[in-house]
Amino acid sequence: MSKVKVAINGYGTIGKRVADAVSLQDDMEVLGVTKTKPTFEARLANDKGYPLYGISKESVKSFEEAGLKTEGVFDSLLEQADIIVDCTPGKVGAKNKEDLYIPKKLKAIYQGGEKASVGETSFVAQINYDSSIGKDHVRVVSCNTTGLSRAIGALSSKLSIGTVRAFLVRRSVDPRDSSKGPINAIIPDPLTVPSHHGPDIQTILPDLKVITSAVKVPTTLMHLHSLMVELKDDASESDVKNVLEQARRTKVLHSKEGFRSTAEVIEYARDLGRSRYDLYENMIWEDSIVVKDKEAYFFQGIAQESIVVPENIDAIRAVLELETDAEKSMDKTDKTLSI
Amino acid sequence: MSKVKVAINGYGTIGKRVADAVSLQDDMEVLGVTKTKPTFEARLANDKGYPLYGISKESVKSFEEAGLKTEGVFDSLLEQADIIVDCTPGKVGAKNKEDLYIPKKLKAIYQGGEKASVGETSFVAQINYDSSIGKDHVRVVSCNTTGLSRAIGALSSKLSIGTVRAFLVRRSVDPRDSSKGPINAIIPDPLTVPSHHGPDIQTILPDLKVITSAVKVPTTLMHLHSLMVELKDDASESDVKNVLEQARRTKVLHSKEGFRSTAEVIEYARDLGRSRYDLYENMIWEDSIVVKDKEAYFFQGIAQESIVVPENIDAIRAVLELETDAEKSMDKTDKTLSI
């Protein structure tokens, strides 16, 4: 089987994970990754054997000065790529689309930091894989939107649900970030409710009303969501549990096993031996699932660095029509990532 | 005017603040405060001139050994008191009620750490002052319940509201606590929704449906609440703003003045010169007030150490019938505390 050539633009938090996931697939390979500066992550690309490209001539020069092996400037990578996964910081992807990908007639996958309009479609594999098949520009949605869409999508596919209200307690920064805070504060962010997450979920689940409110707090490990889902029929607690348990890319936790907070959830991921202690699943507390007065409640943890990684792999398959059956693509992805 | 004699059982986070507030009133005085151990707070009682009592003979002995001035054991304080404000840790108040206050026919005020059943009434001054007039045992509700009751009570008194959903992002520990965490985690606490806060609010506002969900996060300064209030009529954003602005013991913040998080709110309290940078008011972000599709949204910060202090003062007046007009009591309290 010949492998499609994937170029990863931006070898950072998402890009380095996508590269590793791509390299685990039998139908795709990492053609190269880009970086602007000779950071430890650029060196990591060398060490892992991913061809390293500079975003500019200056980048290439800085790599050479740092003793890093480099294949040259980004442009030459683009010439050979079947698809780009754009993992650059928010809003840069949209610029790259106009300046590079469209002129070079390249297909591209974007991340959730971009506006929905960057893609012809927004993508969560288990909900709308089919709509991205053969498209040229597809946006994988953000970690929060992915996690909420999976859970709400699963519920709405099996039960009749009304308005959903979700509170997002967001980790303020990723574990790797030592420069930003807060150290001791709660930030309403955005300050107004409903937050932008609700409309973003509607790019995936257009027929549902989802109201979201979000804050940022001094933690790095995971986001935590508290969901309140109005039920239109008499679904029981075990109905809701069954749906969430059986949904793909969810994992149900039992607090009696010691899962008191996001800290224990991440410790569990470390014990699982997952690369970088990544969690690709919605981590749902089984004991938090309650149904009362026709409303369902539960808590879930979302690992912001990794939850979209399998989505990126599936999006590559959809866009390049490597697989037109969503379930088969996800089966393959999940098996390689030990989901 | 003769002053009523107030004994404060437990000179800790709440007790030391209530003592200072009592000493500012012209109709009450601090008869004495109790402490178990010769901590810096026991020494502070000496320095401030509050008669210090030991909770036991051993406590008195430890004070003497530490060179602290003490008036003896708690029992002798009880003999002379007109009222006890019980500021002991949660659940100890209920025990004190049975073991000490009832046998000695003493009136007492309890804090929100106790079950509602400890009091004949639960108390938030601006909502149900009258129901506690002349009672013997009254419970001032917790900081979160006080803050939510004030805001929701104000809205329900002026507008027709339906179900309220409130999400509580709780500070994990008080600033003085160096022994507990979390340092880097989000704890769903309690794990099940609705949390106990909703039913507790119904001890103050029995006719409203309030659903609450709560987490604990690594911060010490304030709690933050995100409220979602269903509106039964066509109230506008400015209607909601007006109600919240005009309510007693609320303060409206403007984000353009730099209030980005709870950190800036507390910095403001420090700049105000408030004792211990205490905030007795609900701190509501004006820019967060939104009305959309017959639902109102806003964020408020609640200073957990101090918000119930004015409530304790008013509760003393209600119980001892020093003032039967709630507004007059609150006017007096608010003036002395610069609210």
Side-chain angles (χ1 to χ4, degrees):
Chain A
M1 189 183 204
S2 87
K3 295 183 174 187
V4 298
K5 296 179 174 58
V6 180
I8 293 158
N9 192 10
Y11 189 70
T13 300
I14 300 294
K16 63 189 180 185
R17 288 174 168 82
V18 170
D20 289 351
V22 165
S23 70
L24 292 173
Q25 312 304 315
D26 65 6
D27 51 355
M28 54 188 83
E29 64 182 319
V30 179
L31 181 68
V33 303
T34 73
K35 205 71 194 152
T36 49
K37 291 178 193 159
T39 60
F40 69 87
E41 281 162 332
R43 188 171 302 279
L44 185 73
N46 267 201
D47 294 345
K48 293 211 172 200
Y50 299 135
L52 175 66
Y53 291 80
I55 211 71
S56 63
K57 282 182 188 166
E58 291 69 38
S59 299
V60 172
K61 200 176 161 213
S62 74
F63 294 161
E64 287 165 348
E65 286 170 1
L68 293 178
K69 185 164 178 276
T70 171
E71 310 298 321
V73 181
F74 187 30
D75 280 11
S76 57
L77 174 64
L78 292 181
E79 301 300 334
Q80 316 154 57
D82 294 313
I83 191 166
I84 307 287
V85 182
D86 188 294
C87 301
T88 57
K91 314 290 180 285
V92 179
K95 194 175 177 314
N96 289 340
K97 177 186 174 185
E98 299 306 323
D99 296 353
L100 298 168
Y101 311 150
I102 288 180
K104 291 184 189 284
K105 296 192 171 54
L106 269 165
K107 288 175 181 265
I109 311 290
Y110 306 86
Q111 307 304 314
E114 303 299 323
K115 285 186 182 163
S117 56
V118 79
E120 295 154 271
T121 53
S122 288
F123 184 87
V124 172
Q126 68 210 72
I127 297 175
N128 64 359
Y129 183 98
D130 292 357
S131 65
S132 294
I133 292 174
K135 290 284 188 298
D136 291 329
H137 300 277
V138 168
R139 181 184 70 127
V140 169
V141 294
S142 73
C143 49
N144 280 310
T145 300
T146 300
L148 287 168
S149 296
R150 283 184 189 165
I152 298 167
L155 290 171
S156 72
S157 72
K158 305 279 183 189
L159 308 171
S160 179
I161 70 173
T163 300
V164 178
R165 293 171 181 83
F167 295 96
L168 287 61
V169 187
R170 298 162 57 200
R171 69 83 185 87
S172 289
V173 298
D174 284 337
R176 64 152 290 154
D177 191 342
S178 62
S179 66
K180 286 185 289 184
I183 281 181
N184 188 11
I186 305 168
I187 310 175
D189 186 18
L191 182 57
T192 52
V193 178
S195 72
H196 58 271
H197 304 90
D200 203 37
I201 293 162
Q202 284 171 330
T203 66
I204 303 296
L205 296 162
D207 300 328
L208 292 178
K209 182 173 179 188
V210 183
I211 301 164
T212 49
S213 168
V215 300
K216 274 165 54 168
V217 303
T219 186
T220 61
L221 301 176
M222 300 182 92
H223 300 302
L224 189 100
H225 298 165
S226 171
L227 279 93
M228 299 183 174
V229 182
E230 290 182 6
L231 300 170
K232 286 184 178 165
D233 51 23
D234 285 319
S236 70
E237 223 153 83
S238 63
D239 292 337
V240 173
K241 279 184 195 181
N242 286 340
V243 172
L244 293 174
E245 227 158 24
Q246 283 157 23
R248 196 188 272 270
R249 296 177 181 169
T250 64
K251 221 178 171 71
V252 165
L253 307 168
H254 304 278
S255 69
K256 60 180 176 297
E257 293 184 1
F259 294 107
R260 186 171 166 247
S261 75
T262 53
E264 292 87 354
V265 177
I266 292 298
E267 183 71 3
Y268 172 62
R270 297 168 73 198
D271 290 339
L272 281 177
R274 289 277 183 91
S275 169
R276 299 184 175 93
Y277 64 79
D278 283 350
L279 286 168
Y280 310 110
E281 304 94 334
N282 289 28
M283 304 300 279
I284 300 173
W285 271 268
E286 194 253 4
D287 333 43
S288 78
I289 302 171
V290 169
V291 170
K292 198 180 169 189
D293 298 341
K294 297 191 90 168
E295 195 153 319
Y297 307 100
F298 62 95
F299 284 106
Q300 66 178 6
I302 300 295
Q304 72 281 352
E305 300 164 299
S306 44
I307 192 169
V308 299
V309 171
E311 306 295 335
N312 274 278
I313 300 302
D314 293 323
I316 292 169
R317 286 208 187 90
V319 165
L320 293 180
E321 298 175 79
L322 299 179
E323 179 57 71
T324 54
D325 182 327
E327 294 301 318
K328 284 188 185 164
S329 174
M330 289 187 280
D331 283 347
K332 202 167 194 171
T333 306
D334 290 0
K335 195 176 169 197
T336 57
L337 295 176
S338 309
I339 296 179
Chain B
M1 189 184 205
S2 85
K3 296 182 173 188
V4 298
K5 295 178 175 61
V6 180
I8 293 157
N9 191 11
Y11 190 70
T13 300
I14 300 295
K16 64 190 180 184
R17 288 174 167 82
V18 170
D20 289 352
V22 165
S23 71
L24 293 172
Q25 313 303 315
D26 65 7
D27 50 356
M28 54 187 81
E29 63 183 320
V30 178
L31 181 68
V33 303
T34 73
K35 206 71 194 153
T36 50
K37 292 176 192 161
T39 60
F40 69 87
E41 282 163 329
R43 189 172 302 279
L44 185 75
N46 268 200
D47 294 346
K48 292 212 172 199
Y50 299 135
L52 175 66
Y53 292 80
I55 211 73
S56 63
K57 281 181 188 169
E58 290 70 37
S59 299
V60 172
K61 201 177 159 211
S62 74
F63 293 163
E64 285 165 349
E65 285 169 0
L68 293 178
K69 187 165 177 275
T70 172
E71 309 299 321
V73 182
F74 188 30
D75 281 12
S76 58
L77 173 64
L78 293 180
E79 301 299 334
Q80 315 154 57
D82 293 314
I83 191 166
I84 307 288
V85 181
D86 188 293
C87 300
T88 58
K91 313 290 180 288
V92 178
K95 193 174 179 316
N96 289 339
K97 177 186 175 186
E98 299 306 323
D99 296 351
L100 298 168
Y101 312 150
I102 287 181
K104 292 184 187 288
K105 296 194 170 55
L106 269 166
K107 286 173 181 266
I109 311 290
Y110 306 86
Q111 306 304 314
E114 305 297 324
K115 285 186 183 162
S117 57
V118 79
E120 295 154 272
T121 54
S122 288
F123 184 87
V124 172
Q126 68 209 69
I127 297 175
N128 64 359
Y129 184 100
D130 292 359
S131 66
S132 295
I133 292 175
K135 291 285 188 297
D136 291 329
H137 301 277
V138 169
R139 180 184 72 126
V140 169
V141 293
S142 73
C143 49
N144 281 310
T145 301
T146 299
L148 287 168
S149 296
R150 283 183 189 165
I152 297 167
L155 289 171
S156 72
S157 72
K158 304 279 182 188
L159 308 170
S160 179
I161 69 172
T163 300
V164 179
R165 292 173 183 82
F167 184 65
L168 287 62
V169 186
R170 298 161 58 198
R171 70 81 185 88
S172 289
V173 299
D174 284 337
R176 64 153 288 154
D177 191 343
S178 62
S179 65
K180 285 185 292 185
I183 280 180
N184 188 13
I186 305 169
I187 310 175
D189 187 18
L191 181 57
T192 53
V193 178
S195 72
H196 58 272
H197 304 91
D200 203 37
I201 293 161
Q202 285 172 326
T203 66
I204 303 296
L205 295 162
D207 300 328
L208 291 178
K209 182 172 178 187
V210 183
I211 300 164
T212 49
S213 168
V215 300
K216 275 164 56 168
V217 302
T219 185
T220 62
L221 300 176
M222 297 182 93
H223 301 303
L224 189 99
H225 298 165
S226 170
L227 280 94
M228 299 184 172
V229 182
E230 290 183 6
L231 300 170
K232 288 185 180 165
D233 53 21
D234 284 318
S236 70
E237 222 154 84
S238 64
D239 291 337
V240 172
K241 279 185 193 179
N242 285 339
V243 171
L244 293 174
E245 225 157 27
Q246 283 159 23
R248 195 189 273 270
R249 296 175 182 169
T250 66
K251 223 178 170 72
V252 165
L253 307 169
H254 304 277
S255 69
K256 62 181 175 295
E257 293 184 1
F259 293 107
R260 186 171 163 246
S261 75
T262 53
E264 293 87 355
V265 177
I266 292 298
E267 184 71 2
Y268 173 62
R270 296 169 73 198
D271 290 338
L272 281 177
R274 290 278 184 92
S275 169
R276 300 183 175 92
Y277 63 79
D278 284 350
L279 286 169
Y280 310 111
E281 303 94 335
N282 289 30
M283 305 301 279
I284 300 173
W285 271 267
E286 195 252 5
D287 332 45
S288 77
I289 302 171
V290 168
V291 170
K292 197 178 169 190
D293 297 341
K294 298 192 92 169
E295 194 152 317
Y297 307 100
F298 60 96
F299 283 107
Q300 65 177 7
I302 300 295
Q304 73 280 354
E305 301 164 300
S306 44
I307 192 171
V308 299
V309 171
E311 307 295 335
N312 273 277
I313 300 302
D314 292 323
I316 293 169
R317 285 207 187 92
V319 164
L320 293 179
E321 295 173 80
L322 299 178
E323 180 57 71
T324 54
D325 183 326
E327 294 301 320
K328 284 188 184 167
S329 174
M330 289 188 281
D331 283 347
K332 203 166 191 169
T333 305
D334 291 359
K335 195 174 169 199
T336 57
L337 296 175
S338 308
I339 297 177

